[in-house]
Amino acid sequence: MSKPKVIVTRKWPAEVEAQLTSLYDVQLNENDIPMTANELKQALLTADGLLTTVTDSITADILNIEGKRTKIIGNFGVGYNNIDINAAKNQGLIVTNTPHVLTDCTADIAMLLLLMSARRASEGERLILQQQWTGWKPTQLIGQKVTGKTLGLIGFGRIAQAMAKKAHHGFGMKILFYAPSQPAQTIIDDLQAVRCETIEELLTEANFVSLHCPGGDGTRHLINEERLKIMRPSAHLINTARGDVVDSTALIRALKEGWITGAGLDVFEGEPNINPDFLSLDNVTLLPHLGSATEETRTAMGNCVLKNISAFFTGQNPEDRVV
Ligand code: DGY
């Protein structure tokens, strides 16, 4: 029997590509240039499985192409707001994601941004890189203590809970969270976490606010001018979720005008294009979407896609089905 045909839209870890090559009739993307909408349509016509990632915009227009051969889209990423899920559902396509395997590494990056923002690490590094550091001074680059402060998490899924563990058990932070559903009591007890009834309540109380909700229409500009204005002037905003959860124009004003003290961002509205105003601010730490970027995690994400498509091609239900 011939092997199923799969097309991979971007370059993946070598170990995973080797597995794909041995198991499938695979088309890899060796030069890692993102595929155009037409190339993606063409891929749906020719492959049994399309292996996308979070930078591929899989719109209804692409998904609705007549004569598709593709039955499964294996997304390399826990987030799947890059795919029009309703259109995929209407087209009878199966879509899978890669949950669990990136939880700790993404929580680590959120914690890293929190620490960097609180302790003005980016500013300090720039001082050295620009050869402007003239030596230690009692009043230089004074940041804020993290230990014992209050961390407010918006969204309380796996990544938020992993960050809360690191923050509470490692830094003695108090944990507040806002989430649509109630987590298990054992989790709340372990973290001595307090659930806020409203986002506003959390924003007014937290020293650090970290975002952990999905992207997409439901959360677009959840953090807007009005909400930034009720945060503490000494607070920091951390975003490792999706760029469009924050209104970047409002955030830039908040950072310039001192509504809040700092921000740590791993994701951006319209990334990889970043609002140029961020680049001239001292009180923002910017990372290029590194949340899951460790050798172990990226390989595990690839293996997760392998597991899902292998289930599908052997007539089973993939474990990480989102549609
Ligand atoms: C995801 O998986 O959704 C991240 O944004 C990239 O790892």
Side-chain angles (χ1 to χ4, degrees), residues 53-56 76-82 102 105-106 109-110 112-113 159 215 239-244 264-274 285-294 298 301:
T53 190
V54 298
T55 53
D56 299 308
F76 183 101
V78 67
Y80 47 88
N81 60 314
N82 56 305
L102 45 65
C105 285
T106 308
I109 285 283
L112 174 74
L113 285 170
I159 298 170
N239 191 5
T240 55
R242 283 292 182 262
D244 57 5
L265 309 175
D266 188 43
V267 286
F268 303 88
E269 266 193 302
E271 68 181 61
N273 302 314
I274 297 181
T285 302
L286 308 168
L287 294 180
H289 205 146
L290 292 183
S292 62
T294 62
R298 289 285 163 84
M301 288 165 77

